[in-house]
Amino acid sequence: MYPTNYYIALGTNVGNYKNNFSAAINELDKIGKISKIANIYKSKPYGYLNQNYFYNSVLELKSKMMPIQLMKSIHLIEKKLKKNKRIVNGPRKIDLDIIFWGKKKFRNQNLYIPHPRAKERDFVLLPLIDLNPFFRDPETKLSIKDLLSSLKDHYVIKKLSYSNFF
């Protein structure tokens, strides 16, 4: 089997943001080949509002793993890095989500790819544009730019260059 490009979203709002991202990136690099990392976006919280701002990004991971295997590996990384999520959409040290698996779709009771709510979040769409501005959502067939322009709610308040972040 050939490696497939996964787009993995990263988010953090507890602890040292730079260390959390660095640790997650180092762990993800052990389970695949990171080929690109987007800029970092500081954003207002989504859902549960009584918490710190988030830092968000997306990276492209090339992997031969099937989605369930990759999801299990990602959950182990979150556990190792002490995600500590106690509230839905609440504060957490690290959050990793599979957004896309190439141009493929995957559905089972625990995992949906494309991520069902990524289309609603500018803090996911903006970093995706950094990585691949011409990518099209496999379900809607719309470009990421079109999805972004159709959003009613915006959370991003600041863009930080990836190179300046670390």
Side-chain angles (χ1 to χ4, degrees):
M1 180 167 167
Y2 294 102
T4 304
N5 288 343
Y6 284 92
Y7 289 106
I8 311 292
L10 300 89
T12 180
N13 77 336
V14 172
N16 184 303
Y17 311 114
K18 294 177 183 182
N19 288 346
N20 296 346
F21 269 29
S22 292
I25 289 166
N26 287 336
E27 292 298 321
L28 286 166
D29 202 37
K30 294 175 185 176
I31 62 171
K33 169 89 171 97
I34 296 173
S35 52
K36 297 178 189 173
I37 302 174
N39 290 306
I40 313 305
Y41 291 84
K42 185 176 181 180
S43 62
K44 298 179 283 187
Y46 176 92
Y48 181 73
L49 302 179
N50 189 21
Q51 60 182 320
N52 295 333
Y53 288 138
F54 273 85
Y55 290 86
N56 299 283
S57 189
V58 172
L59 59 78
E60 184 180 83
L61 179 78
K62 294 181 184 296
S63 176
K64 293 181 182 180
M65 289 185 192
M66 293 300 291
I68 293 295
Q69 184 184 10
L70 182 64
M71 182 186 76
K72 288 179 181 176
S73 296
I74 284 172
H75 285 162
L76 288 173
I77 291 170
E78 289 177 329
K79 185 175 181 179
K80 179 178 181 178
L81 300 180
K82 297 179 175 74
K83 179 177 182 173
N84 292 336
K85 179 179 167 187
R86 295 188 175 112
I87 301 167
V88 174
N89 294 319
R92 64 207 89 148
K93 187 174 179 185
I94 195 69
D95 190 34
L96 304 171
D97 290 313
I98 301 171
I99 305 301
F100 292 114
W101 175 38
K103 295 180 181 179
K104 302 174 191 172
K105 300 178 206 174
F106 183 87
R107 295 275 186 269
N108 79 7
Q109 61 190 19
N110 299 317
L111 180 62
Y112 298 115
I113 302 173
H115 189 288
R117 292 169 303 284
K119 299 181 234 348
E120 304 164 7
R121 300 172 176 173
D122 62 342
F123 54 84
V124 174
L125 298 175
L126 285 165
L128 280 167
I129 289 171
D130 291 344
L131 298 180
N132 189 345
F134 304 107
F135 188 81
R136 292 189 173 273
D137 173 60
E139 288 185 328
T140 64
K141 308 298 184 212
L142 294 172
S143 72
I144 301 302
K145 286 183 179 181
D146 289 339
L147 292 171
L148 182 65
S149 69
S150 70
L151 289 181
K152 292 181 176 76
D153 297 321
H154 296 274
Y155 299 90
V156 170
I157 58 171
K158 188 175 185 179
K159 175 180 176 179
L160 305 165
S161 169
Y162 173 76
S163 60
N164 293 335
F165 192 78
F166 291 100

